[in-house]
Amino acid sequence: MKQAVTIGQGASCPCVFLMGSGGDGVVTAGDLLARAVANAGLHCQMVKSFGPQIRGGESGVWLQISPQPIQGPAEQVQIAVVLSWRSFGPFARQLSLAPGALVFQDEQDAALAPPDLRDAGGQPVTPRSLPLQKLADELEAPRSRNILLVGFIAGLLQLPAALIPEVLQRKFGKRGAEVAATLIKAFHRGRELADAQARPAGLPALAPVEAEARLLLSGNDAASLGALHAGVEFFAGYPITPASEIMTAMAEHLPGRGGMMIQAEDEISAICMLLGASFGGKKALTSTSGPGLSLMVEALGFATQIELPCVIIDVQRGGPSTGMPTKTEQSDLQLAVYGAHGDAPRVVIAPENVRTCFDATVKAFYLAEKYQTPVIVLSDQQLGHREETLPATAFDEGHAFRTVIARRLPDVKPGEPYKRFALGDDPVSPMAIPGMEGGTYRTSGIIHDEAGNPTVSTDLHRRMSEKLQRKMTLILAEMPGYRLEGPAHADTLLLTWGSTAGAACDAAARRTAEGRPTAVLIVELLYPLPTEALREHVARYRHVAVAELTFSGQFLRWLRANGLALEQALAIHRGGGDPLTTSEILQRMREAWT
Amino acid sequence: MKQAVTIGQGASCPCVFLMGSGGDGVVTAGDLLARAVANAGLHCQMVKSFGPQIRGGESGVWLQISPQPIQGPAEQVQIAVVLSWRSFGPFARQLSLAPGALVFQDEQDAALAPPDLRDAGGQPVTPRSLPLQKLADELEAPRSRNILLVGFIAGLLQLPAALIPEVLQRKFGKRGAEVAATLIKAFHRGRELADAQARPAGLPALAPVEAEARLLLSGNDAASLGALHAGVEFFAGYPITPASEIMTAMAEHLPGRGGMMIQAEDEISAICMLLGASFGGKKALTSTSGPGLSLMVEALGFATQIELPCVIIDVQRGGPSTGMPTKTEQSDLQLAVYGAHGDAPRVVIAPENVRTCFDATVKAFYLAEKYQTPVIVLSDQQLGHREETLPATAFDEGHAFRTVIARRLPDVKPGEPYKRFALGDDPVSPMAIPGMEGGTYRTSGIIHDEAGNPTVSTDLHRRMSEKLQRKMTLILAEMPGYRLEGPAHADTLLLTWGSTAGAACDAAARRTAEGRPTAVLIVELLYPLPTEALREHVARYRHVAVAELTFSGQFLRWLRANGLALEQALAIHRGGGDPLTTSEILQRMREAWT
Amino acid sequence: MDVTPPAEVVERRINARQAYRSDLKPVWCPGCGDYSVLTALFAALAELQIPPHQIALISGIGCSSRLPGYAATYGLNTIHGRPIPVATGLKSARPDLTVIAMAGDGDALSIGGGHFPHAARRNIGMAYFVMDNNVYGLTKGQTSPTTPTGEQTATSLYGWPEDPANPLGLALAYGVSFVAQGVAGDVKGLARLMVEAIQWPGFAFIEILSPCVTWRGKEQYDVIRDRARPIPPEHDVTDLAAAFRYAHDPEHLYVGVHYRQRKPTFQERVTALQQKAAAKGAGNFDRYLAKFRA
Amino acid sequence: MDVTPPAEVVERRINARQAYRSDLKPVWCPGCGDYSVLTALFAALAELQIPPHQIALISGIGCSSRLPGYAATYGLNTIHGRPIPVATGLKSARPDLTVIAMAGDGDALSIGGGHFPHAARRNIGMAYFVMDNNVYGLTKGQTSPTTPTGEQTATSLYGWPEDPANPLGLALAYGVSFVAQGVAGDVKGLARLMVEAIQWPGFAFIEILSPCVTWRGKEQYDVIRDRARPIPPEHDVTDLAAAFRYAHDPEHLYVGVHYRQRKPTFQERVTALQQKAAAKGAGNFDRYLAKFRA
Ligand SMILES: Cc1ncc(C[n+]2csc(CCOP(=O)(O)OP(=O)(O)O)c2C)c(N)n1
Ligand SMILES: Cc1ncc(C[n+]2csc(CCOP(=O)(O)OP(=O)(O)O)c2C)c(N)n1
Ligand code: SF4
Ligand code: SF4
Ligand SMILES: [Mg+2]
Ligand SMILES: [Mg+2]
């Protein structure tokens, strides 16, 4: 049994920031700390940030720690360690120090500290020096500075001493016993450093928790797991930040189960390869980000038209154009729902946190196969890259969406005519796959008749359009497509989607605590939008706000396009890069409804 | 001076339909008739329709004739001539015969006539036989059957006999005097045939008009003229129906003025070539249709981001996917306004008839150059391919939009720093072009600073997004972006755009005549949408309808997305192919507001 | 070499070919070369006796790309320029099928030209038939990447200022493992090449000279006939540089197999790495999940 | 052959090179081959004495494509795979400029591979420098079209099952009129090739072997050095088939000019047809309008 943990007094959610330049190993340090925290039965959310360099550039890690599951992004930092002031620049604006926050530096770097460092309350902060490199050198392990740092933070947070050596052993054990022993020594030297420090003032007290097994993974990891669970058989893709991890996971896991990952020559080929595989009866996936999705537009319309299932995970990044590849935004929404010439409906769903990246992916395969339609999963850089602790049972039956189906095949008989696009009561017409005798059909992106042959009949144009549209109606009938959270007596509703949900829920909880009971409605099914249900909900509240991370208010515009007038709604949105924070949302609500 | 013309009694707008299979020459016949009509000082609209065959397939021509300018598409046909019943099939559904309409056939084809031909009133129609081929053979000009047909129709309509020989002479004169003479003979034999016929009952009487010079051209012709007037210097494109005629016109005319037309390897290259030429300071154009526009999405976002002018004429066709390449629809609207990952505003404008294809193109260049932005002109197959008579002065000063501007260059000095994307009061920052000393700059699709260098500053992301957005505000300030037509005391408003405007205006006029005064508001500027002005107008009417040719109501959804709730609006839209007709719109209004 | 077969053999063959015909009537212009390509394809499939439901024909957009609609197999007339990636996805997901991709010269070498080298590098086990008419047929006569320099077309009113591409040369540089040229005018010879291409283990390309009578005139048949020569029997089909020389011959169009060199197919290589991965236990959900235990 | 120049000449040269440097600091990894490419480019431009404002550098997306940001010329870091069409538009609209397109191996041969043959067919008067590191650098180490078969990368954990493309072979098949190979390790030699390419009347391609130390290791320098050989002086640079053989040499990477054959540039041909068109009076608005008089 593991030890219970107590950290300081005050806020429930300490946030630690570690920053260094290339080779300083702050990301490894963050990862070790996160694992230790997870093993202590606590929750943790870890966000990494890198400079434009591929190697040797600056990097920063935010670690939020709490006994409760964490929803929103980190806001203020209680403890910051900066290993390289020289490359601190890009983080200066991003880093918000809590009043009374402690900032540490390596004493060898002290001369470069910025002259005017202030906390959120405007108070000057004087960095405290630590002899990190010096101690590492003394250990004759000059590159163990980051492990010293881990010990130091673990000490400050009073994490149980036993947890980290265990993790170190697992992670570095294969480099030999000696290496591991040195690192464990470095860790303990770091802890001693912490003991020598004054305990940080406002550091929160974490109630002791029963330690239980935890997973630590990112949204891209969860999506990859979801795809495997859903029975993905084929992946074709083209590398792009921040989606490439899914491709790498597929490269690792598909061949082992008789499947295949093809690195396509571009995103147009990737989606076209999916359509080929899907025509052949296989469950097919790709992952991409904005620029790639832009290139898939033509083939997406084709997929809708010839009614082929396929799943596209779009891990959104800051736009427009090349935009901000390593930053987040929710601004591919419009392209996902509207990206086609002509009327080509498709399904668009969105996860709201790391865990639901799994659910959304499984659901995407389910909907794609059941309704013979392309499905886009709208994740984003924030979800895709941040790591979260989850219960070990997070993806088990009863906790996650796990329904897996096979494609519905027709009952064809050689000699009997087969109508691939039969216009019956059911808009989903069973699809033959090559190899089925009696199931041969030929079709095209041209408006076709029931058999699949081209036609110029405007009547068939209308009836086939209706067929496509009726599938959307059926989807709405089988799932709510949204989730409502918050007090029953709330008079305020925050409408949101995707990765903004976390901050929205935190903001609603705080607003409720302020005596303004606020609920949150998180839309999961973006296309087809559950408009009627949303309309009913919206009508029940005195105040309605719409929160999202886009410059132009794409989500609000999408709700409106679907017929939700929302004329009085408070629009909370701004240009991307950094996620919307709890305070930002809260502040806007306070200003609007005093 | 030319003779005045009188045709029958009744409706003001006779419609003639000619149909034949490949080689029958009905399109030539239609063209000759249209020119004769134009030379008689009348107005005419000619629509052609072809089967899927490239050659040898069926074709049909609708000719609407009127002393007044014609707005909406043809509805019922008064005179139909079918030269090949065998290939009549695809036209059967499209052809609506007016009560009492006359149908003619070549006597040699009579055996194949459909047994059950009926007019709109449900009355059976018996085709009358004409010895067309027989007479042509007698003239020893077996392929002159279509000229006989021209004579026959001219006779029925009592067009002045002198007009057509003149046109024949111009058109066929270069094949030798003998050929022309034979054709003129055939024409007169056709007229004699008409004299032998009973005058059609309901044929309208056209008041004599003062004959004046007329142009006969298509929307694609008018757009090409507009581009030349606007000073287009560079065109790159990829062939696609129904836009290719613009490309051919540019191939013909650009080299002669020192410019260039490049046939790109695909639409991605086409738009990228435009951006290269535009970066070099040249006015650049492409033309395409839905599938091509889909492929341009990524580069369009890039154009917005690096603020490069360029003009894209999208001649829409029936979608989705390959859809109906030779039919019309207005369903690229959503792709045009939303087609980008991230928030990438662009300008979208739409002509409403053949004439305004000129204006819209000139305006597109004006806006592109003035605001350093991509501009999409949304034409469609109907506008692009139909031919209309226009006054010879249609494109003259005072009649058309003719403002032409040059790009605003900065006042750079060698040695002084130049900020390509200066964030000043004016969101349009003067653009240096290669060759200007002191103007060198480097930029990318990445979020950039004022100089053009990449940045990860979320603050610059916001400010640059605002810069792009503020251009849109300026555009709205300088032009109304819509046109209102109809009685001042109207209590009903029809909102529409593009090629549906004609039928909407006709429908409004008829509804007004029925005692329900109805106005039409035609939106020309689709992005940025003049939302505030529209809101004010909409508020003034008791009834509001929105008419467009899309299955899903894209225009209505676009209006709503922009904040026009239009909750009570009557939505008039359907799947594409054939344009919305006056009667359809009228009928829907009658049903909704009895 | 060709001996006329007995009458009942001929009839049986004709019946076998009929089994591949769909009930859609071609809308090609009378005289179009693509009719012969379709006939040759039927003959080849009949000869190989592949059941229609084991075959998928994947085309792009163009007159030529209408072909799959006319065969009673599985068929997709996809989007312009994309038959190769669609066929790649299908063949690699379903190696049991006979997959034939086909395209026009514009589809294959202009908008879809970027996919060709990669199917070759991967050596995907499919046949690829390009019906080259030196023009954009469906869109009414614009230049294509194989239109000769100087020609007047709908998009080159003063003469085409570009050099034509050499499809055979491209295929050779791309590393295509089977490269041949056929002519629509010679249905029998073309069918024979098709039989070989369809059976070839790997990516097999046939450049088919298939006239467009509407935009290039009936003379295109004559031009091809005059320039066509059988590839000399002494040509070593494994000699890449020699094949490259034949491809660039300024005078003659060599008909027959230009290059044929067995190399591992995508499927063969992928099967090997699938075994490697399976041996490592990759692909197991629970093992993958375990990786994320903190 | 190289004689060390006097000190003041060296200094003048260095100053001249400085004039091409922008104030942006490269973010390439220490040791990246692209630094040398930049240095060579500065040297070549200084040698040619082209004023910076007469030059436009057009790249795609990738580590290599960051290069234009570091030069004080006009520059566009466009979108992934599209430097060729953007540069084509620019050069054909503004033949007075010196236009240099550049890209990585992924940008040039994968997503942008479809454009390369057409720039060659057109013989657009620009230089095209591909910095080939056999990997996707910017996106963190995935395979590229030139990654050797069997390699393990972020997207080929069990070994890459595809054959690599041969960039020089492609260029030759495409009809590129100037084809060369350079190595980042030899700045002087590379600069010399660049001078020739930039001056070349037509499309000039240099395949630059530019190591990625981060994803392919420092060893990539050694691998290249071991395999690199100067192209034999007796090689006839107008012999296409011979060049094709050098390009496909299984052992050596030949450095130098592989092929060089003057042919009409796009500009030359277009100028001719502009004159033809002008002579016909095409392009005049009023004449065009008159055509529509009924
Ligand atoms: C994205 C896109 N661009 C353009 C078109 C129009 N288009 C259809 S077929 C075709 C070219 C046809 O030429 P080719 O491939 O040589 O086939 P052919 O008709 O000559 O057999 C074009 C440009 C299209 N369908 N899609
Ligand atoms: C449409 C699109 N897809 C994917 C990407 C992601 N991406 C950026 S650079 C790159 C490849 C880089 O490799 P290479 O061209 O060889 O350049 P290098 O970094 O190696 O110099 C990719 C896939 C993108 N920017 N745009
Ligand atoms: S246009 Fe040409 S390619 Fe097309 S069907 Fe007719 S002859 Fe054949
Ligand atoms: S990742 Fe490779 S190509 Fe990119 S900068 Fe680093 S060494 Fe150069
Ligand atoms: Mg062709
Ligand atoms: Mg590379």
Side-chain angles (χ1 to χ4, degrees), chain B residues 149-174:
Chain B
L149 181 55
V150 169
F152 177 72
I153 301 289
L156 278 190
L157 299 180
Q158 298 180 355
L159 283 171
L163 290 176
I164 293 199
E166 183 190 0
V167 175
L168 280 172
Q169 190 65 49
R170 257 196 286 144
K171 189 147 183 174
F172 298 101
K174 51 179 175 265

Side-chain angles (χ1 to χ4, degrees), chain C residues 64 104-107 131-138 144 146 212:
Chain C
S64 40
D105 43 332
D107 197 284
M131 289 165 251
D132 189 349
N133 53 14
N134 302 165
V135 78
Y136 282 17
L138 189 66
S144 94
T146 58
C212 170

Side-chain angles (χ1 to χ4, degrees), chain A residues 53-55, chain D residues 27-35 62-64 66 133 135-138 140-141 210-216:
Chain A
Q53 299 86 344
I54 301 299
R55 202 166 48 102
Chain D
V27 293
W28 289 314
C29 307
C32 176
D34 297 344
Y35 283 105
C63 291
S64 39
R66 284 171 159 167
N133 53 13
V135 77
Y136 283 16
L138 189 66
K140 310 206 161 176
S210 178
C212 170
V213 294
T214 294
W215 307 113
R216 307 272 313 153

